[in-house]
Amino acid sequence: MTLVMGIVNVTPDSFSDGGRFLDADAAIAHGLSLRAQGADILDVGGESTRPGSERVDPAVEQERVLPVVRALADAGAYVSIDTINASTAVAAVDAGARLVNDVSGGLADPDLLPAVAASGADIALGHWRGPSADMYARADYADVVVEVVAELGARVEAAAAAGIPPARVVLDPGIGFGKRGEQNWATLRGTERIAAMGPRVLIGTSRKRFLGDALGAAEDEPAELTERRRDLATAVTSVLAAQAGAWAVRVHDVTATRDALRVALAWKGESRWAAPTRSR
């Protein structure tokens, strides 16, 4: 069954909820709330990856995330650390994280893959063509699905060479990362082809701009309405991703997506909701 990964941004500048949970206590409370709503995994991040964002020193990142990771793990949550820094990944795993979610697929920090291999944690490898500050400069594809599959395949090989077998790997096609409008939709339509590569697949569409574009949102639409509409669109795309074989979906609004997935299961005559497991 497809799992729900709840987003815990401990940042001042994430595109949707930056600053809301920068305080550790607020972030911990938010994570526990997401878990109570049904999140199977809590993805804690201390550096924004929104388009145009600037890098954060790993020491600052760790100051933000480690107390949150530790508290949530101690509470029994399955915690993921959203980072592209090897030192942060290792520190977070030591604090209780079980999955390292690297949107760069190990390209941003050459030490990350060997560090994760030694840690025993699983890793989510994102499709990435460069840093957030100029990610759209590389959004040039002849066939986006073919190229995403090939580039993710290269990251699986790099992980294996570092000592991480495919059973410990999750693939994220990087929706919104170095992809514009229709390129995101084409990548989503290719989810089955990505899942056929073998490793588990993580899909993250939550509240991204291309959803608002599909909804025809007006520029002067109130932010609260835009957020609600994008959460509904996120739930729909999450169900479609689940039907295409996604292992997990990464979302801000856990309740909406969890409910949508359950309705889809009921439609199919199923009702079981699986707990997260590590394929090792």
Side-chain angles (χ1 to χ4, degrees):
M1 299 300 176
T2 300
L3 307 180
V4 177
M5 175 184 282
I7 299 169
V8 183
N9 285 325
V10 196
T11 60
D13 57 346
S14 292
F15 80 95
S16 176
D17 56 1
R20 293 188 195 177
F21 312 110
L22 184 58
D23 175 77
D25 288 340
I28 294 165
H30 180 57
L32 294 174
S33 175
L34 293 179
R35 188 180 183 218
Q37 293 166 32
D40 301 290
I41 306 167
L42 299 176
D43 192 41
V44 180
E47 178 178 354
S48 174
T49 54
R50 64 177 175 78
S53 62
E54 298 297 329
R55 294 302 313 278
V56 172
D57 186 276
V60 174
E61 180 188 31
Q62 290 165 38
E63 183 179 357
R64 292 173 179 175
V65 301
L66 293 182
V68 180
V69 170
R70 185 172 294 107
L72 294 175
D74 287 348
Y78 180 116
V79 179
S80 167
I81 178 65
D82 181 358
T83 186
I84 61 177
N85 296 308
S87 61
T88 301
V90 170
V93 172
D94 287 344
R98 297 169 58 186
L99 172 69
V100 175
N101 182 13
D102 179 1
V103 298
S104 83
L107 289 170
D109 185 341
D111 294 330
L112 187 136
L113 292 179
V116 173
S119 76
D122 290 356
I123 186 166
L125 301 171
H127 177 259
W128 194 73
R129 283 191 166 182
S132 298
D134 65 346
M135 67 169 71
Y136 293 127
R138 300 170 178 83
D140 183 18
Y141 302 88
D143 185 317
V144 66
V145 177
V146 169
E147 292 172 55
V148 166
V149 167
E151 290 166 31
L152 284 176
R155 303 321 303 153
V156 173
E157 293 176 1
I164 308 172
R168 283 171 56 191
V169 169
V170 177
L171 297 178
D172 181 347
I175 302 302
F177 287 87
K179 301 173 188 66
R180 300 182 184 276
E182 173 56 28
Q183 293 169 340
N184 291 302
W185 291 112
T187 303
L188 287 172
R189 289 193 291 270
T191 299
E192 288 186 4
R193 292 172 64 181
I194 297 166
M197 295 175 66
R200 295 161 289 170
V201 174
L202 171 66
I203 298 291
T205 63
S206 193
R207 296 180 181 170
K208 292 183 177 178
R209 178 178 299 177
F210 78 102
L211 296 180
D213 292 343
L215 296 171
E219 290 186 7
D220 59 350
E221 182 176 272
E224 183 178 345
L225 176 58
T226 297
E227 185 174 292
R228 288 203 308 270
R229 296 181 70 197
R230 289 190 186 186
D231 281 337
L232 175 58
T234 299
V236 173
T237 53
S238 294
V239 167
L240 294 172
Q243 292 175 339
W247 166 75
V249 289
R250 182 178 183 273
V251 303
H252 293 85
D253 186 338
V254 167
T255 299
T257 293
R258 179 177 177 271
D259 287 349
L261 289 168
R262 281 190 160 171
V263 168
L265 286 176
W267 180 282
K268 294 169 62 178
E270 303 174 13
S271 60
R272 294 180 61 191
W273 192 262
T277 58
R278 294 178 67 174
S279 296
R280 293 287 298 277

